Amino acid sequence: MDSPYLDTAPLQVGDTVRLIAPSGPTDEESLQRAIAQLESWGLKVVVGDNVRARHPRVKYLAGTDEQRRRDLVEAWCDPDTSAVIALRGGFGAMRLLDGIDFDLMRAHALRADGRPKLLTGSSDITALHQAWDHHLSVATLFCPMVGNDPFKNSRVVPAEVAGWLFDPWGGRELGFPAESAHPTSSSLPRAASGAAASDGLEWSKWSEDSPGDRTKTTTQAAQQDAESGPLSRARTLVPGMAKGRLGGGNLSLVAAGIGSPELAGVREARERYGPSILLLEDVDEELYRLDNLLLQLVRGGWFDSADAVVLGSWQDCAEIAEVEELFMDYLGEAGIPVVSEMGFGHDPDAPSTPLGAAVTLEAPAQGRPRMWVDGA
């Protein structure tokens, strides 16, 4: 399947998006901030009926499974929906999967104009990304969520996410930029509010050049500007080059899915889909827990379909050097490229990543690794 959105953007001003809470609960301030952010981009926002619900027994779920599942299904099947946007993560998305009629969801995967609908979110929403990939074969966007702190605190996240929603994906580079960019609102749709535009910093753009001929888009002075946003920390652990569909997400959720219908056929995944590049990140896990989760993926054969492995952020986990050594223990002799510190996940300024899209990874032995969406 070819990647979508290569020369047309997923969203445009005036589109309708559905805002839902498939995992943990939110508070009214976060909900209103999320609505305001989406509306500032010129989108029409429909809030799920049960977004404000609370599970009657446990505090970590936004309503019962039935309430959250109903909001998810109704949002996706609404013919006016262009995108389904998860308000936040937490826990609970995987609890919804067994009760979903995926034949029904597949029948509503396209908008009225024939473009594919889009699902966005990260962290616990990994469970939905896996299900959408397996059952619907559609690309999704693994990105910071509008109800979480990065949209409130980060100077770069709003504009970076807007870039993936309102710009075509073809040729776009993933991860933090090699150089910082001056404050700009050019990634934001024309209807964006002044606050959204002034608080965001556009990622460096490379789509006008071929990957091998990409040139600097900012001055050296801008690179030294402490307020201009994060720069790439990406580095190669095992050099090489790979092409394939992006998969993966949060390590804890991927490991929890081993043996499920969505991941039961991981050993045959490469034959079914072709080459793949697998992503992993996590938050608030001790090194022994990461070891256990990684071992579960190795024994479950999840890496058998991998042509490369790319690591994101490990916020509040072990030291990054320890995390890298752990992955090298398991994957260092696998004969595939391994790249670290691409930033996606729970980093406060985390960049977005399109799952299910075809990408190219360059991981040189010396120099910064790069990964970009193929096509266009």
Side-chain angles (χ1 to χ4, degrees):
M1 176 180 173
D2 293 333
S3 299
Y5 318 127
L6 293 181
D7 52 15
T8 59
L11 297 179
Q12 56 191 15
V13 171
D15 279 347
T16 297
V17 297
R18 299 282 291 246
L19 186 62
I20 63 169
S23 302
T26 191
D27 57 78
E28 190 64 23
E29 188 273 334
S30 297
L31 174 60
Q32 293 304 320
R33 188 178 71 247
I35 295 170
Q37 176 70 77
L38 296 171
E39 289 180 342
S40 79
W41 291 340
L43 298 170
K44 300 175 182 177
V45 182
V46 178
V47 178
D49 291 339
N50 298 292
V51 161
R52 295 177 175 86
R54 294 292 188 275
H55 194 283
R57 183 174 53 83
V58 295
K59 296 180 180 180
Y60 52 79
L61 295 175
T64 65
D65 291 352
E66 177 55 34
Q67 287 175 316
R68 290 177 289 114
R69 184 184 298 113
R70 184 164 63 248
D71 277 2
L72 173 60
V73 173
E74 289 181 357
W76 187 257
C77 294
D78 179 358
D80 295 326
T81 296
S82 294
V84 175
I85 296 178
L87 181 63
R88 58 154 298 179
F91 173 81
M94 191 174 290
R95 293 173 59 124
L96 309 183
L97 299 181
D98 289 342
I100 295 177
D101 181 348
F102 282 105
D103 289 335
L104 174 67
M105 302 292 273
R106 193 178 304 110
H108 291 86
L110 299 180
R111 308 173 221 186
D113 63 4
R115 293 182 298 155
K117 295 178 181 178
L118 184 67
L119 172 74
T120 77
S122 57
S123 193
D124 189 61
I125 309 304
T126 295
L128 301 186
H129 289 297
Q130 292 174 341
W132 262 234
D133 179 64
H134 176 76
H135 297 286
L136 308 183
S137 296
V138 298
T140 56
L141 187 64
F142 189 91
C143 65
M145 293 171 283
V146 288
N148 284 354
D149 285 345
F151 263 88
K152 178 172 65 174
N153 300 330
S154 173
R155 299 184 65 242
V156 297
V157 161
E160 201 273 346
V161 172
W164 286 95
L165 295 180
F166 294 96
D167 291 336
W169 291 0
R172 180 160 183 158
E173 188 167 350
L174 282 70
F176 292 126
E179 296 185 11
S180 59
H182 292 296
T184 175
S185 60
S186 61
S187 278
L188 296 169
R190 221 174 295 175
S193 70
S198 64
D199 288 345
L201 298 173
E202 184 185 14
W203 256 224
S204 297
K205 287 194 174 183
W206 306 96
S207 58
E208 295 178 0
D209 306 296
S210 65
D213 298 322
R214 290 168 177 152
T215 57
K216 297 179 180 179
T217 61
T218 55
T219 65
Q220 292 297 320
Q223 183 176 351
Q224 301 303 319
D225 183 355
E227 295 184 351
S228 61
L231 302 181
S232 176
R233 303 183 300 270
R235 57 184 170 274
T236 298
L237 301 184
V238 179
M241 183 169 181
K243 289 178 174 286
R245 294 171 70 255
L246 283 181
N250 180 266
L251 171 58
S252 298
L253 270 295
V254 174
I258 291 292
S260 69
E262 290 74 30
L263 294 182
V266 289
R267 297 183 188 277
E268 294 77 37
R270 197 179 189 286
E271 295 181 11
R272 184 166 65 248
Y273 292 125
S276 67
I277 296 174
L278 301 181
L279 315 177
L280 287 173
E281 62 84 29
D282 218 318
V283 62
D284 198 24
E285 296 286 359
E286 297 285 347
L287 188 65
Y288 79 91
R289 281 279 300 155
L290 296 177
D291 193 338
N292 183 62
L293 294 167
L294 184 53
L295 177 60
Q296 186 175 352
L297 295 187
V298 170
R299 298 192 69 230
W302 191 71
F303 291 107
D304 290 355
S305 65
D307 292 79
V309 172
V310 177
L311 308 181
S313 64
W314 304 91
Q315 196 74 13
D316 298 323
C317 294
E319 293 294 328
I320 185 61
E322 294 180 310
V323 175
E324 290 175 345
E325 289 173 357
L326 176 63
F327 273 88
M328 289 296 286
D329 283 344
Y330 286 107
L331 300 175
E333 303 299 324
I336 59 175
V338 180
V339 168
S340 181
E341 291 260 67
M342 286 292 284
F344 61 87
H346 288 81
D347 187 286
D349 296 311
S352 305
T353 303
L355 299 180
V359 303
T360 296
L361 172 70
E362 284 182 349
Q366 302 293 328
R368 181 178 69 92
R370 293 174 175 173
M371 186 163 63
W372 63 87
V373 179
D374 292 337

